[in-house]
Amino acid sequence: MTQSSTLMPTSSPDVAAVVARVRRAFDSGRTKPYAWREAQLRALRSLVVDHESEIASALESDLGKSAVESWLTETGLVVSEIDHTLKNLRRWLAPRRVPVPLRVLPAKAQIVREPLGVVLVIAPWNYPVLLTLTPLVGALAAGNAVVVKPSEVAPAASAVLARLLGRHLDPEAVHVVEGAVPETTALLAERFDHIFYTGNSAVGRIVLEAAARHLTPVTLELGGKSPTFVDDGVDLEATAQRIVWGKFTNAGQTCVAPDYVLATRHTLDALKPWLVKAIRDSYGDEPSGSPDYGRIVNSRHLERLSGLIDPAQVVTGGDSNPSTRYLAPTVLDGVSFDDPVMAEEIFGPVLPLVEVSGVDEAIEVVNRRDKPLALYVFTSSPDTRRRFVRDTSSGAVGVNIPLAHLAVPDLPFGGVGMSGMGAYHGEFSVELFSHAKAVLRQPLRPDSTVVVRPPITAAKRRLIDRLVFPGSRRR
Ligand code: NAD
């Protein structure tokens, strides 16, 4: 539930002062040394591990997450991202030599990674800890100063992050601004060197427009409907278990949750009882009593989701309890692309089953719609797998497994087209939050410009042809 009153928003003039202070810290050079970056990452790691239960309580209060789910899908992932970064950071940051063509010799060429400056991280409510801290890990590893704006829609997580980050990280260079639209609007009026935004595409546009005024580069981690194709002949019991896990974790409020299932009528009919069984196996006969089943973040979203459920289509679930923000794990069948549930990203525990005639139509359907953040294919056919990877475009493809690609730190995580721009995690984060600076070094003698410097004599012209772009005129 949104409880803005529990927040202590930073007022607009303060926002300008905060950004100025953080910029001074960056300009002082304190964030550049490897030792500072390492110290911040270690401090962040201890913060998460030492305060795991405090963080879990906040997530319980905002989203009804169990402590195990909080560790599995938020805090544990942050710790593993930090460990992976600490293990590899020196290597990722090392200047990289690149070959120099003959025309520029004698010389040495290097790519040197430098921090961008002051980064703004704007986070959403659905994984409020993971999606605030994972970009922060990358921004700190790359040597930036950072202003962090957690989501007001998850107020307990926002408060705990503000308190802990303020206490454990370098207060000059890292600052949390809590608050909602006014505070974010005030922040967006300031100049940053990079803005990292996770959330819906409507606000993504606002962020991009605001950034354009300062020509600030932006990463947009957006959402969309992630399709899930279930092939004929696949093991439906295992498939159902995985879809149910991927869909109903965090009560479906996951940007990469399977949004809807595409399959032939024959396969849908065979899959339905397995889905019902997998829901019962995971959450019992009465999911409202399961400690492992989350809650909808607020009553506005609960109403929105309830409005998407056509009782005539319900296979299982459909019931809700507004007083506890509970919405049952729900499966709908006989859904068509014209139904409201297929218009926008569902972002809740409602799984529509949509009939297609086979692989060809499924690919056609995916390509007709916005490019998704994730696409899932359950198949035992290498040909079907290859076709989806080759013939569709999405942020990621999961073959026989939803969600888990985000836990592989060497894979880029991000969208394409309407699902976002830019990708992060691991080395991709360090690339994202730094500038790859080209450094070319030549000795002053011998004089490498003698051939190209006027006057261009006939002899020089012959040398230019032979040395500067050798073979270029060959057809
Ligand atoms: P949200 O409501 O928490 O908004 C995100 C952030 O934008 C918040 O910090 C909020 O304060 C700020 N904001 C809201 N309105 C604003 C405005 N008018 N001006 C400036 N800032 C504003 O979260 P949400 O958007 O509901 O998040 C859900 C969406 O995010 C879904 O579409 C989901 O798919 C997507 N998402 C994507 C990823 C990803 O990694 N790609 C991860 C999680 C969620």
Side-chain angles (χ1 to χ4, degrees), residues 286-318:
E286 190 36 76
S288 64
S290 163
D292 298 317
Y293 188 66
R295 293 295 179 266
I296 306 305
V297 70
N298 58 32
S299 41
R300 183 173 62 83
H301 277 286
L302 180 62
E303 271 167 41
R304 176 184 66 79
L305 289 162
S306 303
L308 297 177
I309 299 171
D310 174 351
Q313 295 175 330
V314 170
V315 174
T316 184

Side-chain angles (χ1 to χ4, degrees), residues 105-128:
L105 287 175
K108 289 196 169 117
Q110 273 189 330
I111 301 168
V112 174
R113 297 217 159 273
E114 64 180 18
L116 294 171
V118 181
V119 169
L120 172 63
V121 173
I122 305 177
W125 53 263
N126 62 328
Y127 289 84

Side-chain angles (χ1 to χ4, degrees), residues 122-126 131 149-153 179-181 184-185 188 197-200 203 206 221-224 255 301 345 347 373 413 419:
I122 305 177
W125 53 263
N126 62 328
L131 299 174
K149 205 331 246 132
S151 175
E152 74 282 11
V153 184
V181 177
T184 320
T185 306
L188 288 172
Y197 166 81
T198 306
N200 68 74
V203 176
I206 294 174
E221 295 284 340
L222 309 177
C255 55
H301 277 286
E345 178 183 7
F347 220 55
L373 187 57
F413 184 79
S419 54

Side-chain angles (χ1 to χ4, degrees), residues 73-90:
T73 66
E74 301 225 34
T75 34
L77 283 174
V78 173
V79 172
S80 111
E81 179 77 8
I82 294 173
D83 289 346
H84 182 67
T85 303
L86 283 169
K87 194 166 149 217
N88 295 288
L89 188 57
R90 273 194 195 282

Side-chain angles (χ1 to χ4, degrees), residues 25 36 150 228 243 273 323 348:
W36 182 88
T228 300
I243 292 177
S323 68

